[in-house]
Amino acid sequence: MDMHQRKMSAQTLKQTLAAMQDKYGLSPVSQAETLSPFVTCLKNTPDTDIPGILGQLTVAEADHLLQLIYLGLAQAQAPLSNLMFRWHEQVTSVFGLGAIVRTLTG
């Protein structure tokens, strides 16, 4: 993926995060439906591009990304959990353990 495409992917993730921000407090049933565009965005990102994309996020965006990752993990579906854990590893690699602390205490 060239730099232009990587920027587009980062922009797509940022737009998805912004759209999901207002929906984060929904009931668990609605959360599964709401997570669909977020999951699609993550699935369509090659693992090798994740660090570059995360490098373009702000700390607040990364924290929100972790919130959504935890919602995805709460769905208790193996394929979805695998995707969420791959992203979780990358987010904490780029933003450190403080991202987890901020997300769980914020």
Side-chain angles (χ1 to χ4, degrees), residues 20 23 26-38 75:
M20 306 269 315
K23 298 182 180 193
L26 299 176
S27 67
V29 172
S30 296
Q31 286 174 355
E33 295 170 13
T34 302
L35 283 174
S36 181
F38 171 70
Q75 303 305 309

Side-chain angles (χ1 to χ4, degrees), residues 75-85:
Q75 303 305 309
Q77 299 173 1
L80 181 58
S81 293
N82 185 36
L83 174 69
M84 295 298 144
F85 279 126

Side-chain angles (χ1 to χ4, degrees), residues 1 3-17 41 45 49-50 52-57 61 87:
M1 185 176 274
M3 184 55 83
H4 176 69
Q5 290 171 316
R6 179 172 287 143
K7 286 182 183 176
M8 291 299 290
S9 294
Q11 188 62 30
T12 300
L13 180 59
K14 285 179 173 239
Q15 290 170 345
T16 301
L17 288 172
C41 185
T45 305
D49 293 340
I50 296 171
I53 291 169
L54 293 176
Q56 297 179 47
L57 299 181
E61 289 169 332
W87 273 84

Side-chain angles (χ1 to χ4, degrees), residues 42-88:
L42 298 187
K43 280 183 181 178
N44 290 334
T45 305
D47 289 351
T48 56
D49 293 340
I50 296 171
I53 291 169
L54 293 176
Q56 297 179 47
L57 299 181
T58 66
V59 170
E61 289 169 332
D63 292 352
H64 184 63
L65 174 59
L66 272 182
Q67 288 175 336
L68 294 170
I69 288 170
Y70 292 142
L71 284 175
L73 289 169
Q75 303 305 309
Q77 299 173 1
L80 181 58
S81 293
N82 185 36
L83 174 69
M84 295 298 144
F85 279 126
R86 285 196 326 262
W87 273 84
H88 187 275

